[in-house]
C-alpha cells in the first residue's frame, strides 16, 4: 500500500509538472535529512524548496529507501523471498543512480547530505552489491557449478570493493555508523574467499593441483580476514574456513605423493571471470501508466507556452490593423473639421443649428455627455494609485528579502550557502521594471487626455446641452446656398459616412475574431512536431489576411476621397464668396469638440479597462512575490536553526597558555616582581597556658598569655584586636570612647550560656585534657596582594 501511495503521488506530480511551469507553483516543500540524528540543541537537518522537482526527488528517494527495507524483511530461505528481495534492491539501485544525475538540476541549490551525488552513488552501489550477494546465496543453495559460483562471488567482491571505496570518501564518511565499514570490508573479503575456494575446486577437477593449493591458501587468509574485519563469523566464514582447510590438506597430500606441482604465487594466478547478473533497474516515467490523471483538464506547459506566443502574435497583428484604421479616421476627421464639413454645406440661412450638429449633439447626449467623461476621469487617479501601490508593495518585499539575504550572507559568509536572491528574482525584477514602465506611460497618456478635455470643454458642453445651447454658442452669419460644388461635396460626405460605417465593421471583426489554436497545437504535439512559429504564422495569415486587405482598401479609398474633397472645397468657398467668419469658426469648434469627445470617451474607457486588467496582473504578480518571499523566509529560518544547532555542538578550543607574568602573586611558581608587596610575616608564637577549673563560676578560665617584648617600631594606635600581626591594611577607626583590650578567653562564660549546666559547676572530667588555648586567632584582615 505504501508503494502504491508513493508511486501514485509521484505520477500525479509528473502530470502536474508538465502542465504548470515550475516557477508558477510557489509551494514550499520541506524534507529532513535521512542521516541526520539531530542534537540536544536543535532538530535534524532539513531543507525547504518551492519546487515540484524537489518534491519528486524526495518521493523517489523515499521509494528507494522503502524498497531496501522491504528487501531486508523478506524470507531469504525461500526462493520467492530471494527473488523479491533481489528485485527491490535492483529497483533501489536504479532510483539512487538516477537521482545522482538529477538532484542538482531539480533543486538548484546545495542539497542535504542524503541527496549529495556522492551519497546517492554510494547507496546505489550498496543496493547493487546486496542484490549480487543474494544471487550468490541462491547459487550456493541451488548447488550450481563451481565455475559459476566463483564468477558470481567475484563480481560480488568487486561490488563490495566499490562500496568500501565510496564509503571511505571524505564527503560521506561521517554519515555511516562505525559498524558499517567493518561489515562491508568483511563481506568483500568473504566473497573474494568464496570465489577463490570455488575456483580451487574447478582447478581440482582440471588436475591443476598447484593452482588449487595456492587458491585454497589465499581463501584461508581471506576467510580469516573477513571474520577479523567484521568482528564476528560473517557469512558462515568459520564453516568456509574448515572446508577450505580440509580441501587444502587433501590437495597437499595429493601433490606431495602424486603430482609434485609447483605452487604459484597469488599475484600470478589467472584472474577469475565475472558474472554480472544484477543491474540497476530503469526508473519508469510513470509507476502506474493507466491511472487517472487528476490534472487532465489542465493545459500542458508546452501547449500553454505555444498559446501564449500565438496570442502575442495575434495581438500584434490586430493592434497594427486597428491603429491603421484609427489613424486614418482621425486624419479624415481633422481635415473635415478644418473645412467645417459637412456643417458648412448645411448652414444655408446663417442662423440656427445645422442638422449634422444636431445628430452629433444627440450622439454626445446618448453617450452620457460631459458628466460621463468627468466620471471616467475622476476614476483614473484611484485606479492608477491602486496599481502603483500594488507594484510598490511587490518591489518592497523583493527589496527587503534581498537585503536580508545579503546581510546574512555578509554575516555568515561561506556558511550561508543558499542560492543568492539575485539569481532567483531576475524574472520578478524584469516584470517589475516592465510594469513600472507601463504605469509611467499610462500617466503620460492621462496627462494628454486631460489637456485635450480642457481644450474642448466648452464645445462639448454645448453639444451635451442640446440645440438651444448650440444656437447660443453659434454667432449669426451670412447666408449662402452654394452651387454645383456644394452638391458634389454632399455626395462625397455620404461616401465619408459609408467609409466610417465599413471601418466600424472591420474594427469589430479584427477585435472579435478568435482562433482555436489549442486543438491545433495539441494535435501537432501528439504527432511530435509542435513548431509554434510556423503554425502561428500560417493560421494568422489564414484568419486575418482578408481583414488586412480590407484595411488597406479602406485607407486607399480615403486618400482618393480626401483628394476630391480638397479640390471641391476650394470651388465651394468661391461660390459662397469666401470664409464664413466667426460663425464658421464656431461651427468648426463644435465639430472638433465632437471628434474630441468621441476620442476621449474611447480612450478613457480603454484606459479604465487597461487599469483594471493591469490590477489583475499586479495582484497575481504580488501573490507570486509573496509566495516567493514566504518560502525564502521559511528557508532562512530553517537554515538559521540548523546553523545554530551545529554551532552549539562545536567543541571550543582550549584557551592559550597565559604568560608567566600574568600569574597571581600568590602562585609560588611565578617569579617575583619589583612592585610586589613584602611577604606576610609568620604569626607570633604563643605558649600554651594552663587551664584551671573555676568551680565558683561554673566555667573555664585561663591565664592571660605572657607579654611579648615590645617591638622597636614606632607606636601605633591602640588595636582592639590585640593578637593581629602588624599594622592594619587600612587606617584604624577611632572609637568615640577608649575601649579596654578584649580577650575572649579571659572572661568566664556566664551560667546561662550552657543550657545543661543547671546552675551547677562543671567539674574537670577525668582522662579528658583541658580545653586548649586557641592559637592564631587573627580577626584582622591579612595583607592583600595588590
Amino acid at each position: 500500500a505504501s508503494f502504491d501511495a508513493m508511486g501514485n503521488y509521484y505520477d500525479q506530480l509528473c502530470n502536474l509538472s508538465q502542465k504548470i511551469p515550475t516557477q508558477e507553483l510557489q509551494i514550499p516543500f520541506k524534507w529532513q535529512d535521512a542521516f541526520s540524528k539531530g542534537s540536544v540543541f536543535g532538530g535534524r537537518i532539513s531543507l525547504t524548496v518551492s519546487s515540484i522537482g524537489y518534491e519528486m526527488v524526495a518521493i523517489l528517494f523515499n521509494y528507494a529507501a522503502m524498497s531496501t527495507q522491504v528487501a531486508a524483511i523478506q524470507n531469504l530461505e525461500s526462493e520467492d523471498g530471494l527473488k523479491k528481495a533481489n528485485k527491490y534492491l535492483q529497483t533501489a539501485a536504479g532510483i539512487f543512480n538516477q537521482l545522482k544525475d538529477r538532484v542538482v538540476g531539480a533543486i538548484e541549490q546545495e542539497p542535504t547530505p542524503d541527496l549529495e551525488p556522492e551519497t546517492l552513488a554510494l547507496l546505489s552501489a550498496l543496493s547493487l552489491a546486496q542484490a549480487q550477494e543474494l544471487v550468490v546465496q541462491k547459487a550456493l543453495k541451488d548447488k550450481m557449478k563451481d565455475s559459476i559460483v566463483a564468477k558470481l562471488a567475484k563480481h560480488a567482491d568487486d561490488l563490495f570493493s566499490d562500496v568500501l571505496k565510496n564509503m571511505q570518501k571524505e564527503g560521506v564518511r561521517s554519515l555511516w555508523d562505525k559498524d558499517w565499514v567493518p561489515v562491508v570490508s568483511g563481506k568483500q573479503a568473504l566473497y573474494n574467499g568464496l570465489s577463490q575456494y570455488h575456483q580451487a575446486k574447478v582447478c581440482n577437477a582440471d588436475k591443476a593441483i598447484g593452482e588449487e593449493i595456492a587458491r585454497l591458501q589465499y581463501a584461508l587468509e581471506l576467510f580469516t580476514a573477513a571474520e577479523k574485519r567484521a568482528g564476528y563469523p560473517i557469512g558462515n566464514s568459520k564453516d568456509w574456513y574448515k572446508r577450505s582447510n580440509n580441501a587444502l590438506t587433501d590437495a597437499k597430500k595429493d601433490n606431495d605423493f602424486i603430482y609434485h606441482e609447483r605452487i604459484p604465487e597469488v599475484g600470478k594466478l589467472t584472474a577469475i571471470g565475472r558474472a554480472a547478473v544484477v543491474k540497476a533497474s530503469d526508473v519508469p516515467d510513470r509507476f502506474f501508466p493507466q491511472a487517472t490523471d487528476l490534472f487532465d483538464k489542465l493545459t500542458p506547459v508546452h501547449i500553454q507556452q505555444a498559446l501564449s506566443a500565438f496570442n502575442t502574435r495575434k495581438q500584434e497583428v490586430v493592434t497594427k490593423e486597428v491603429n491603421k484604421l484609427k489613424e486614418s479616421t482621425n486624419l479624415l476627421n481633422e481635415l473635415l473639421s478644418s473645412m467645417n464639413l459637412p456643417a458648412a454645406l448645411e448652414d444655408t440661412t446663417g442662423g440656427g443649428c445645422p442638422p449634422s450638429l444636431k445628430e452629433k449633439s444627440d450622439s454626445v447626449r446618448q453617450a452620457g455627455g460631459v458628466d460621463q467623461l468627468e466620471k471616467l476621469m475622476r476614476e483614473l487617479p484611484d485606479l492608477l494609485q491602486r496599481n502603483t501601490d500594488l507594484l510598490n508593495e511587490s518591489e518592497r518585499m523583493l527589496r527587503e528579502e534581498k537585503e536580508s539575504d545579503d546581510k546574512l550572507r555578509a554575516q555568515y559568509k561561506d556558511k550561508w550557502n543558499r542560492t543568492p536572491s539575485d539569481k532567483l528574482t531576475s524574472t520578478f525584477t524584469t516584470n517589475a521594471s516592465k510594469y513600472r514602465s507601463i504605469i509611467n506611460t499610462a500617466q503620460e497618456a492621462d496627462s494628454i487626455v486631460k489637456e485635450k478635455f480642457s481644450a474642448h470643454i466648452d464645445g462639448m458642453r454645448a453639444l451635451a446641452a442640446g440645440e438651444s445651447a448650440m444656437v447660443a454658442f453659434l454667432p449669426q452669419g451670412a447666408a449662402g446656398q452654394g452651387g454645383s460644388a456644394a452638391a458634389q461635396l454632399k455626395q462625397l460626405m455620404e461616401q465619408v459616412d459609408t467609409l466610417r460605417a465599413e471601418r466600424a465593421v472591420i474594427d469589430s471583426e479584427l477585435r472579435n475574431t478568435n482562433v482555436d489554436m489549442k486543438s491545433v497545437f495539441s494535435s501537432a504535439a501528439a504527432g511530435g512536431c509542435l513548431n509554434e512559429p510556423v503554425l502561428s504564422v500560417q493560421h494568422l495569415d489564414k484568419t486575418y489576411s482578408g481583414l488586412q486587405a480590407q484595411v488597406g482598401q479602406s485607407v486607399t479609398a480615403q486618400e482618393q476621397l480626401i483628394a476630391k474633397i480638397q479640390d471641391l472645397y476650394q470651388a465651394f468657398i468661391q461660390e459662397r464668396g469666401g470664409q464664413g467668419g466667426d460663425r464658421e469658426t464656431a461651427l468648426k469648434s463644435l465639430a472638433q469638440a465632437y471628434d474630441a469627445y468621441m476620442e476621449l470617451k474611447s480612450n478613457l474607457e480603454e484606459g479604465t479597462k487597461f487599469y483594471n486588467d493591469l490590477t489583475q496582473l499586479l495582484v497575481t504578480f504580488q501573490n507570486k512575490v509573496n509566495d516567493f518571499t514566504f518560502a525564502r523566509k521559511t528557508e532562512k529560518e530553517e537554515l538559521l536553526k540548523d546553523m545554530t544547532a551545529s554551532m552549539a555542538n562545536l567543541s571550543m578550543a582550549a584557551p592559550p597558555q597565559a604568560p608567566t607574568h600574568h600569574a597571581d602573586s600568590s602562585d609560588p611558581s611565578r617569579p617575583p616582581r619589583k612592585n610586589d608587596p613584602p611577604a606576610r610575616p609568620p604569626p607570633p608564637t604563643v605558649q600554651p597556658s594552663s587551664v584551671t577549673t573555676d568551680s565558683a563560676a561554673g566555667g573555664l578560665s585561663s591565664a592571660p598569655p605572657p607579654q611579648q617584648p615590645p617591638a622597636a617600631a614606632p607606636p601605633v594606635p591602640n588595636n582592639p584586636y590585640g593578637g593581629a600581626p602588624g599594622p592594619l591594611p587600612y587606617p584604624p577607626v577611632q572609637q568615640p570612647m577608649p575601649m579596654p583590650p578584649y580577650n575572649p578567653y579571659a572572661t568566664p562564660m556566664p551560667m546561662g550560656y550552657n543550657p545543661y549546666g543547671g546552675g551547677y559547676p562543671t567539674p574537670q572530667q577525668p582522662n579528658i585534657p583541658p580545653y586548649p588555648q586557641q592559637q592564631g586567632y587573627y580577626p584582622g584582615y591579612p595583607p592583600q596582594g595588590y
Side-chain angles (χ1 to χ4, degrees):
S2 298
F3 279 124
D4 293 345
M6 284 194 293
N8 187 49
Y9 179 49
Y10 177 81
D11 290 348
Q12 299 303 333
L13 288 175
C14 290
N15 296 333
L16 183 61
S17 65
Q18 293 182 355
K19 297 178 181 179
I20 294 181
T22 304
Q23 64 274 14
E24 296 290 335
L25 189 67
Q26 295 295 326
I27 299 177
F29 295 102
K30 176 182 177 181
W31 287 94
Q32 292 180 331
D33 176 36
F35 295 99
S36 175
K37 298 178 181 179
S39 65
V40 177
F41 302 98
R44 297 166 60 184
I45 299 174
S46 63
L47 178 64
T48 302
V49 180
S50 298
S51 169
I52 301 178
Y54 176 54
E55 180 75 352
M56 293 168 66
V57 165
I59 293 300
L60 280 180
F61 182 92
N62 283 279
Y63 194 99
M66 182 169 287
S67 297
T68 62
Q69 293 176 357
V70 173
I73 62 175
Q74 296 299 313
N75 181 14
L76 302 183
E77 297 299 326
S78 67
E79 184 174 349
D80 184 62
L82 280 171
K83 288 182 178 179
K84 287 184 177 179
N86 194 283
K87 177 183 177 183
Y88 284 126
L89 288 171
Q90 291 183 74
T91 298
I95 292 176
F96 287 133
N97 186 59
Q98 187 194 78
L99 291 179
K100 177 189 65 175
D101 303 323
R102 174 178 173 183
V103 64
V104 176
I107 299 180
E108 296 183 351
Q109 58 181 288
E110 189 71 20
T112 48
D114 57 346
L115 293 179
E116 288 284 355
E118 285 187 348
T119 306
L120 294 169
L122 172 56
L123 291 173
S124 177
L126 179 59
S127 300
L128 204 59
Q130 291 174 328
Q132 182 72 12
E133 180 181 18
L134 296 180
V135 173
V136 176
Q137 293 181 13
K138 187 176 187 304
L140 292 172
K141 182 179 180 182
D142 294 345
K143 298 180 179 180
M144 293 184 179
K145 294 181 179 179
D146 292 316
S147 60
I148 296 177
V149 175
K151 293 178 181 178
L152 292 173
K154 191 58 181 175
H155 186 59
D157 166 34
D158 292 342
L159 292 177
F160 277 109
S161 296
D162 186 42
V163 173
L164 185 61
K165 179 180 66 176
N166 289 333
M167 196 171 283
Q168 292 177 331
K169 289 183 178 180
E170 185 67 28
V172 299
R173 184 185 304 172
S174 61
L175 300 180
W176 307 93
D177 293 336
K178 61 181 181 179
D179 298 335
W180 272 95
V181 172
V183 170
V184 172
S185 179
K187 285 193 174 186
Q188 180 266 327
L190 173 68
Y191 287 104
N192 193 1
L194 285 174
S195 67
Q196 298 297 334
Y197 171 76
H198 286 85
Q199 189 64 27
K201 295 180 70 176
V202 174
C203 294
N204 180 272
D206 295 339
K207 305 301 180 181
I209 304 302
E211 182 179 349
E212 178 190 5
I213 294 174
R215 292 191 183 278
L216 288 173
Q217 290 175 343
Y218 186 34
L220 289 175
E221 295 177 6
L222 291 170
F223 290 137
T224 303
E227 183 174 347
K228 184 177 180 181
R229 293 177 185 178
Y232 65 95
I234 187 171
N236 295 326
S237 57
K238 283 188 177 297
D239 181 56
W240 290 113
Y241 183 90
K242 292 179 181 178
R243 294 187 189 186
S244 300
N245 194 30
N246 293 336
L248 179 60
T249 302
D250 294 340
K252 284 185 176 180
K253 185 183 299 183
D254 292 343
N255 194 48
D256 291 341
F257 288 98
I258 302 174
Y259 299 101
H260 305 288
E261 289 189 9
R262 185 180 62 85
I263 300 174
E265 297 179 1
V266 174
K268 296 181 179 180
L269 292 175
T270 304
I272 301 175
R274 272 74 168 171
V277 177
V278 298
K279 66 175 183 178
S281 301
D282 295 332
V283 181
D285 294 334
R286 299 287 190 280
F287 288 99
F288 302 100
Q290 305 302 324
T292 303
D293 182 1
L294 300 180
F295 306 100
D296 181 55
K297 294 184 179 180
L298 288 178
T299 305
V301 175
H302 58 286
I303 302 297
Q304 284 184 352
Q305 294 172 345
L307 287 174
S308 177
F310 171 79
N311 289 331
T312 301
R313 298 177 192 274
K314 172 189 170 183
Q315 191 61 37
E316 291 176 355
V317 171
V318 171
T319 301
K320 180 180 179 181
E321 300 304 320
V322 168
N323 287 339
K324 282 183 182 179
L325 292 177
K326 185 178 291 187
E327 291 173 1
S328 298
T329 302
N330 290 339
L331 177 62
L332 179 61
N333 291 336
E334 290 176 1
L335 179 64
L336 295 178
S337 296
S338 65
M339 297 179 181
N340 193 26
L341 294 175
L345 298 174
E346 300 168 347
D347 189 25
T348 57
T349 61
C353 183
S356 61
L357 285 181
K358 294 179 182 180
E359 294 177 0
K360 292 178 180 179
S361 176
D362 293 339
S363 298
V364 170
R365 297 174 69 179
Q366 290 175 1
V370 177
D371 293 341
Q372 179 65 18
L373 291 184
E374 292 177 339
K375 176 185 176 183
L376 293 173
M377 292 181 67
R378 285 194 301 270
E379 293 175 353
L380 287 182
D382 294 337
L383 296 174
L384 174 63
Q385 187 61 43
R386 180 179 63 186
N387 290 323
T388 303
D389 292 343
L390 289 171
L391 183 57
N392 289 341
E393 177 64 15
S394 300
E395 291 177 335
R396 181 193 66 79
M397 290 190 291
L398 290 173
R399 183 173 59 255
E400 290 182 354
E401 193 280 327
K402 182 180 183 302
E403 291 174 353
S404 175
D405 184 67
D406 292 344
K407 180 179 178 181
L408 292 171
R409 192 175 304 281
Q411 179 179 352
Y412 294 104
K413 302 187 184 309
D414 295 339
K415 294 181 180 179
W416 196 252
N417 54 6
R418 71 171 184 169
T419 307
S421 297
D422 293 339
K423 295 183 178 180
L424 298 176
T425 59
S426 58
T427 302
F428 287 135
T429 305
T430 301
N431 288 336
S433 300
K434 180 182 69 176
Y435 291 137
R436 180 66 66 185
S437 176
I438 290 174
I439 288 177
N440 293 336
T441 303
Q443 286 179 309
E444 296 175 359
D446 292 345
S447 301
I448 295 174
V449 167
K450 291 179 181 179
E451 292 177 1
K452 200 164 197 176
F453 178 80
S454 301
H456 297 281
I457 183 61
D458 294 335
M460 289 188 289
R461 291 189 184 281
L463 289 170
E467 182 179 356
S468 59
M470 288 189 293
V471 171
F473 184 83
L474 294 171
Q476 294 293 323
Q481 296 293 331
S484 60
Q488 293 179 21
L489 280 174
K490 287 181 180 181
Q491 293 178 356
L492 293 177
M493 291 302 103
E494 293 177 358
Q495 294 180 20
V496 168
D497 293 338
T498 302
L499 184 65
R500 288 173 174 167
E502 291 174 351
R503 287 184 175 177
V505 173
I506 296 173
D507 183 276
S508 177
E509 291 181 356
L510 284 170
R511 295 177 184 273
N512 299 324
T513 298
N514 294 317
V515 184
D516 182 18
M517 293 300 296
K518 182 176 180 180
S519 59
V520 175
F521 289 142
S522 299
S523 300
C529 55
L530 176 56
N531 191 333
E532 181 274 326
V534 174
L535 292 175
S536 296
V537 171
Q538 289 178 353
H539 284 76
L540 285 174
D541 289 343
K542 180 180 178 181
T543 304
Y544 291 101
S545 58
L547 293 173
Q548 290 173 327
Q550 293 180 29
V551 171
Q553 293 172 2
S554 178
V555 172
T556 302
Q558 175 178 309
E559 293 174 354
Q560 297 174 356
L561 194 58
I562 288 176
K564 294 179 181 179
I565 291 173
Q566 289 176 334
D567 293 340
L568 289 173
Y569 181 72
Q570 298 299 327
F572 172 71
I573 293 300
Q574 292 178 359
E575 290 178 355
R576 292 188 57 182
Q579 299 290 342
D582 294 339
R583 180 176 177 81
E584 186 168 351
T585 302
L587 289 171
K588 292 179 181 180
S589 176
L590 289 176
Q592 294 172 353
Y594 172 78
D595 294 336
Y597 180 89
M598 291 303 175
E599 182 180 354
L600 287 173
K601 184 173 180 296
S602 176
N603 291 341
L604 289 171
E605 289 175 347
E606 290 180 359
T608 301
K609 182 178 182 300
F610 161 78
Y611 280 129
N612 288 328
D613 293 342
L614 183 60
T615 298
Q616 297 299 321
L617 294 175
L618 289 174
V619 167
T620 302
F621 178 69
Q622 187 186 45
N623 290 336
K624 293 179 181 178
V625 171
N626 188 52
D627 292 341
F628 168 77
T629 54
F630 176 78
R632 291 282 285 182
K633 180 181 178 182
T634 303
E635 181 187 13
K636 177 184 73 175
E637 293 173 351
E638 291 293 336
L639 185 55
L640 285 173
K641 181 179 177 181
D642 294 340
M643 291 178 64
T644 303
S646 62
M647 291 173 66
N649 293 331
L650 289 177
S651 59
M652 302 301 294
Q657 184 68 31
T660 307
H661 65 279
H662 286 183
D664 185 70
S665 61
S666 62
D667 186 357
S669 63
R670 190 195 72 129
R673 294 202 296 262
K674 180 179 180 181
N675 296 329
D676 285 351
R680 175 180 176 177
T685 304
V686 180
Q687 298 296 330
S689 60
S690 60
V691 181
T692 61
T693 304
D694 188 356
S695 59
L700 297 177
S701 64
S702 62
Q707 298 293 328
Q708 300 293 331
V716 296
N718 181 32
N719 185 356
Y721 299 93
L728 295 174
Y730 50 85
V733 179
Q734 299 295 332
Q735 301 292 337
M737 295 182 66
M739 301 294 292
Y742 173 67
N743 189 341
Y745 305 107
T747 305
M749 293 184 182
M751 284 298 298
Y753 182 80
N754 187 353
Y756 304 102
Y760 297 98
T762 305
Q764 176 68 39
Q765 301 296 325
N767 302 324
I768 298 178
Y771 193 86
Q773 175 71 26
Q774 294 191 6
Q775 304 270 339
Y777 178 73
Y778 304 109
Y781 290 92
Q784 304 296 314
Y786 296 113

